[in-house]
Amino acid sequence: MEFITYEQEGFVGVVTINRPKALNALNSQVLDELEATFDAIDLDTTRAVVLTGAGEKSFVAGADIGEMSTLTKAEGEAFGKKGNDVFRKIETFPIPVIAAINGFALGGGCEISMSCDIRICSENAVFGQPEAGLGITPGFGGTQRLARLVGAGMAKQMIYTARNIKADEAYRIGLVNAVYPLEELLPAAKKMAAGIAANAPIAVRNCKKAINDGLQVDMDTAIVIEEKLFGDCFETEDQKAGMGNFLEKDKEKKLKVVPFQNK
Ligand code: CAA
């Protein structure tokens, strides 16, 4: 791998996009490497993933403008599909993915963060969908996910005006859950990931699936999705151990860490 690094810390995987010469912009190779990295994550030993960018200036400064500049209509559509396929893989990845946004998150950078389950950012983060100023639409899911996350009105304003917003505004409109000083961002993301990893992994996966799948359908169908995933949990050792521990009269045992299963 040239542009992606992967590290494992306990149950937490950290994926770093590292293409400093282009502020971590996403060209085809970066997208291929990202896909291969997520494909290679061992889901038996990993319970949450942190996705970040290398350096102190940029998370991801977008799709690679140089690569896109000469594309034909068909190639443009194929490039959009390439990015969308990788981002959809992240969005539907069985375990939670936290975006730790350490600077510019523009175009494809904002879009990849929106395919993650949770976004937190540094104080120097800048978000935006500058595509309309480049003569294109957002192409890696921005028109769809931004509207779902911050509402159609705010998404349309950001996309039509191509105006960037800073971390405090991203927080205000609900695009990110929290803002940290840069040096505290990655530790905070890892801490959150470890907190997720400390819970029952099958239950966490089912929560992600219930939320994601439920958002795509009407409420009556969504509730049935939850019922099935809720019911599935009662076949797990985690449910027996987790509830058994709670019901223990012995306070020590009640607080004991449950040896959660991962399958
Ligand atoms: N693609 C390719 N290269 C990029 C890039 C991108 N998206 N963003 C930055 N770079 C490159 C620059 O060309 C420059 O390379 P050179 O040193 O070889 O000239 C290097 O990264 C550093 O960038 P700057 O000198 O521009 O740094 P800056 O601090 O002056 O500005 C910036 C930073 C405001 C982020 C500016 O680089 C910028 O505006 N980048 C483009 C952002 C953008 O428009 N992103 C959306 C792309 S379109 C898209 O993503 C479509 C989609 O939805 C799929």
Side-chain angles (χ1 to χ4, degrees):
M1 296 263 174
E2 185 179 357
F3 297 130
I4 307 289
T5 59
Y6 181 78
E7 286 166 359
Q8 183 92 25
E9 296 181 18
F11 286 123
V12 176
V14 180
V15 176
T16 306
I17 300 172
N18 187 2
R19 192 186 170 214
K21 281 185 184 160
L23 301 182
N24 304 328
L26 304 170
N27 63 11
S28 291
Q29 188 181 337
V30 177
L31 291 171
D32 286 341
E33 291 187 11
L34 258 177
E35 181 169 37
T37 301
F38 274 89
D39 282 344
I41 290 175
D42 181 355
L43 291 169
D44 288 336
T45 57
T46 315
R47 295 181 180 179
V49 173
V50 173
L51 175 68
T52 193
E56 300 190 340
K57 181 174 171 181
S58 183
F59 170 67
V60 170
D64 191 292
I65 297 172
E67 181 173 341
M68 286 186 294
S69 62
T70 57
L71 298 182
T72 63
K73 171 180 154 80
E75 289 166 346
E77 197 174 323
F79 188 62
K81 178 166 168 38
K82 188 179 186 66
N84 277 328
D85 287 351
V86 178
F87 290 13
R88 192 77 180 120
K89 174 163 286 188
I90 294 171
E91 188 167 48
T92 60
F93 203 58
I95 58 177
V97 182
I98 300 168
I101 301 153
N102 56 308
F104 291 115
L106 301 175
C110 187
E111 290 168 308
I112 195 171
S113 80
M114 293 191 291
S115 72
C116 298
D117 294 275
I118 295 165
R119 282 153 298 288
I120 59 176
C121 75
S122 54
E123 288 165 343
N124 67 326
V126 177
F127 296 82
Q129 298 289 161
E131 288 89 347
L134 294 164
I136 55 174
T137 67
F140 291 166
T143 56
Q144 305 310 309
R145 293 196 181 92
L146 190 58
R148 284 166 170 77
L149 274 171
V150 303
M154 188 58 77
K156 286 176 174 175
Q157 182 178 325
M158 282 180 66
I159 291 171
Y160 299 168
T161 65
R163 189 179 70 82
N164 294 341
I165 60 171
K166 292 182 180 168
D168 56 347
E169 196 174 348
Y171 177 68
R172 187 178 63 77
I173 66 174
L175 185 53
V176 296
N177 291 6
V179 183
Y180 295 89
L182 182 61
E183 65 278 9
E184 292 174 22
L185 175 68
L186 201 53
K190 288 178 183 173
K191 189 175 172 193
M192 188 190 292
I196 292 169
N199 287 322
I202 298 169
V204 170
R205 289 184 192 202
N206 283 9
C207 290
K208 173 166 179 170
K209 191 164 171 49
I211 294 168
N212 278 2
D213 291 359
L215 283 171
Q216 309 302 319
V217 296
D218 66 89
M219 185 57 87
D220 287 323
T221 311
I223 285 300
V224 174
I225 290 172
E226 186 192 78
E227 283 164 9
K228 290 198 180 314
L229 288 160
F230 176 67
D232 284 350
C233 294
F234 290 85
E235 285 189 322
T236 67
E237 289 300 317
D238 293 344
Q239 176 270 330
K240 290 171 185 49
M243 291 190 177
N245 278 356
F246 178 81
L247 294 174
E248 273 285 348
K249 299 291 178 211
D250 184 331
K251 273 197 173 168
E252 285 298 309
K253 279 192 179 168
K254 211 171 183 176
L255 295 172
K256 153 182 109 184
V257 175
V258 183
F260 287 125
Q261 289 183 321
N262 210 9
K263 280 185 189 169

